[in-house]
Amino acid sequence: MQSRLNILDVYNYPNPAVDKTYFTFRLTQIPNYMKIKIYTIAGRLIKVINLLSSQLHYNFNKIYWNTTDEDGNLVANGVYLYKVIISKGNIEKDIMGKLAIVK
């Protein structure tokens, strides 16, 4: 029996981060694509990390982020929200998390 598409055990470390962090999670299936969207606490999108299925692994994954925004600037100290989105066919799953930047 094939397991359903799901994302499990999502967290980032180190948290709080100084100049880098890793998003870690487990996948029950390899999705067609994955996005990690990072937002300010006010809800402004500052970074999107796009990943293809060829960049992902069944079970454990670790994705690096250098704590820069879309313009390449280091983000300020504070609390940020992230949303991990996976999609395969017509199924989409997402999960939210919180991270802190302290320099």
Side-chain angles (χ1 to χ4, degrees), residues 40-71:
T40 65
I41 201 75
R44 184 172 63 89
L45 180 64
I46 60 164
K47 180 74 174 181
V48 178
I49 301 169
N50 291 297
L51 300 157
L52 301 173
S53 60
S54 60
Q55 298 170 284
L56 298 168
H57 306 283
Y58 173 75
N59 209 5
F60 184 75
N61 290 265
K62 183 167 110 172
I63 308 300
Y64 172 76
W65 179 44
N66 62 0
T67 68
T68 61
D69 63 16
E70 286 295 319
D71 297 325

Side-chain angles (χ1 to χ4, degrees), residues 14-60:
N15 191 8
V18 176
D19 59 353
K20 66 183 174 189
T21 192
Y22 294 89
F23 296 99
T24 63
F25 50 89
R26 291 188 310 117
L27 295 171
T28 57
Q29 289 183 14
I30 301 294
N32 293 338
Y33 77 87
M34 172 179 217
K35 289 182 182 179
I36 302 173
K37 293 183 173 185
I38 302 162
Y39 300 88
T40 65
I41 201 75
R44 184 172 63 89
L45 180 64
I46 60 164
K47 180 74 174 181
V48 178
I49 301 169
N50 291 297
L51 300 157
L52 301 173
S53 60
S54 60
Q55 298 170 284
L56 298 168
H57 306 283
Y58 173 75
N59 209 5
F60 184 75

